[in-house]
Amino acid sequence: AQSVTQLGSHVSVSEGALVLLRCNYSSSVPPYLFWYVQYPNQGLQLLLKYTSAATLVKGINGFEAEFKKSETSFHLTKPSAHMSDAAEYFCAVSDGGSQGNLIFGKGTKLSVKP
Amino acid sequence: DADVTQTPRNRITKTGKRIMLECSQTKGHDRMYWYRQDPGLGLRLIYYSFDVKDINKGEISDGYSVSRQAQAKFSLSLESAIPNQTALYFCATSRTGMGNQPQHFGDGTRLSIL
């Protein structure tokens, strides 16, 4: 069965600093991986997805993630944090096959200090 | 207008009451999902539907039921609400695919059961 672990339920960075949100997955088959962002009082929005093409995936708002099979990781990064990046971030893995259901991590809340 | 619309956005009710949460979509997607979000637990799948005649239980279906009235409408019912069903509920949609299709979320229904 697939699973996702997000290391750190809360991450705090200063404005302009590097953002690194960690995600490790477990999957017996090549996974499809997703990062979503949730702003207060809103639903989840897709940031980026890995679907077995390029291992470095670029998303919206300057975020990117790198798929590393050897480390079973899909960490999310942004070179320079902005105040508007404060939100909760979820990593998700697809269970593949025709079901295509997503397994979500527990989320990481990102705070950005001025 | 939002592509995935959930009603109501907020609901407070009492233990034992029957509640229906509604979801409609204009994306033309075949697949629809209901999740609940609890702090620190991420999103957990309640039910999913691949088309009008195909309804499936998710990870935490006990105490819930669903109805897929049309391709665009998917409702979630709590037959006899209990306090531990207090949560944020999300509806999502996706295209049919082999796990590589992202899901698109509504803005959620915040449900409080007293």
Side-chain angles (χ1 to χ4, degrees):
Chain A
Q2 270 113 339
S3 65
V4 172
T5 301
Q6 291 185 239
L7 297 175
S9 57
H10 288 87
V11 170
S12 182
V13 300
S14 297
E15 193 172 19
L18 172 72
V19 175
L20 171 61
L21 305 182
R22 298 177 187 274
C23 172
N24 289 89
Y25 69 90
S26 171
S27 177
S28 58
V29 298
Y32 298 119
L33 293 159
F34 304 82
W35 274 102
Y36 285 86
V37 60
Q38 183 182 27
Y39 298 104
N41 299 315
Q42 294 186 26
L44 279 70
Q45 301 174 33
L46 181 68
L47 269 179
L48 49 81
K49 65 177 182 178
Y50 167 77
T51 56
S52 74
T55 56
L56 182 63
V57 181
K58 294 188 183 298
I60 62 171
N61 301 338
F63 284 93
E64 63 182 35
E66 186 172 8
F67 173 70
K68 292 187 176 181
K69 183 178 179 180
S70 60
E71 298 177 8
T72 61
S73 68
F74 190 56
H75 301 333
L76 182 70
T77 60
K78 182 175 181 177
S80 178
H82 192 272
M83 297 297 291
S84 60
D85 294 326
E88 189 158 20
Y89 292 79
F90 293 92
C91 182
V93 62
S94 169
D95 65 4
S98 60
Q99 295 294 311
N101 291 339
L102 294 180
I103 310 298
F104 284 88
K106 294 183 177 181
T108 298
K109 189 163 289 187
L110 175 67
S111 300
V112 182
K113 298 174 291 187
Chain B
D1 289 339
D3 294 323
V4 183
T5 303
Q6 293 185 235
T7 56
R9 290 295 314 278
N10 293 279
R11 177 78 185 270
I12 301 173
T13 191
K14 295 182 178 180
T15 298
K17 295 290 188 181
R18 184 178 188 275
I19 301 159
M20 180 181 287
L21 309 183
E22 299 190 5
C23 177
S24 63
Q25 53 121 343
T26 58
K27 297 189 76 67
H29 290 167
D30 286 327
R31 299 185 172 188
M32 299 187 74
Y33 309 81
W34 276 104
Y35 293 91
R36 67 176 279 174
Q37 182 182 18
D38 299 277
L41 296 182
L43 274 74
R44 293 181 290 167
L45 184 62
I46 306 172
Y47 271 95
Y48 59 103
S49 170
F50 286 170
D51 65 40
V52 175
K53 296 181 180 179
D54 183 11
I55 306 284
N56 304 278
K57 293 182 177 181
E59 177 188 355
I60 53 164
S61 60
D62 287 349
Y64 302 94
S65 62
V66 291
S67 174
R68 185 84 183 264
Q69 300 95 326
Q71 189 212 30
K73 295 184 182 295
F74 192 37
S75 59
L76 175 72
S77 293
L78 287 68
E79 298 301 326
S80 180
I82 55 177
N84 75 1
Q85 292 176 313
T86 293
L88 186 54
Y89 289 84
F90 286 104
C91 175
T93 72
S94 74
R95 297 178 193 275
T96 299
M98 299 297 286
N100 60 348
Q101 298 298 319
Q103 293 182 12
H104 301 264
F105 287 79
D107 284 337
T109 294
R110 189 170 296 279
L111 180 61
S112 297
I113 299 165
L114 307 178

